[in-house]
Amino acid sequence: MLHIPRWKIILILLMCALSFAYSAPNLFSKEAREWAAASLPSWMPHKTVNLGLDLQGGSHLQLQVEVAAVLRQRTDDFTQALRPELRKEKIGYTRISALPDGFRLTLKPGQDMAALRKIVRGVDPELVLTASDDGETLEARLTPAAIKAIEDQAIEQSIEIVRRRVDETGTREPIIARQGNDRIIVQLPGLDDPQRVKEILGKTAKLSFH
């Protein structure tokens, strides 16, 4: 005959009672849980298990950050900061053209390339400068490390913006995470209105450098 010590029986019954007590709030309505939280002692269990997207459904979105647009904005900021400095130092140039990772500046004949380098270094000391053989054209490009830092900053700021907008939906424990180089995954358990999600998240955010 199987014999179980009394203390083990008491322990099993106690664990079963605690398990039922902590799982009971999931069986009650929202109004009943709110009444329990307001009326019962604070140590009494009143929280429910938050069901994930796989159990209660919801919305799953994949957002793409326009990293190339952020880099273009950064190069535009370079040229905007460079023009007044060139005027102040009276350095003449024929044109400034944007590159995917920097810009190209063509000087007028007889201008000082060394002075131009000094001005560009003042705008951003991390730019890689390459002068043409004739000494009239200067290319300034971001390093791969600088580009990676800009991309990471854009992704992190975009995640923060998405998180603030998701808070407007009232969704509990949303999942917002980076995926790959330029994408953000958003999972909103319990929110099955994709149009509303698109309206909230679809506003364009602009990242500027000063």
Side-chain angles (χ1 to χ4, degrees), residues 47 119 162 167 180:
K47 294 184 179 180
I119 293 174
V162 170
D167 289 343

Side-chain angles (χ1 to χ4, degrees), residues 38-90:
S39 304
L40 298 179
S42 59
W43 55 267
M44 291 288 292
H46 58 272
K47 294 184 179 180
T48 61
V49 176
N50 292 316
L51 302 179
L53 198 67
D54 53 342
L55 295 179
Q56 66 171 326
S59 300
H60 176 99
L61 298 93
Q62 186 181 69
L63 309 178
Q64 184 175 18
V65 180
E66 295 183 349
V67 176
V70 175
L71 288 174
R72 285 196 301 270
Q73 179 62 47
R74 184 66 181 270
T75 58
D76 289 343
D77 292 341
F78 286 150
T79 57
Q80 292 298 324
L82 187 61
R83 284 190 172 94
E85 296 298 324
L86 294 174
R87 287 195 296 268
K88 184 170 66 175
E89 298 298 329
K90 298 180 180 179

Side-chain angles (χ1 to χ4, degrees), residues 13-28 45:
L13 293 176
L14 180 62
M15 293 300 297
C16 291
L18 289 175
S19 300
F20 176 79
Y22 276 92
S23 61
N26 295 279
L27 306 176
F28 301 147

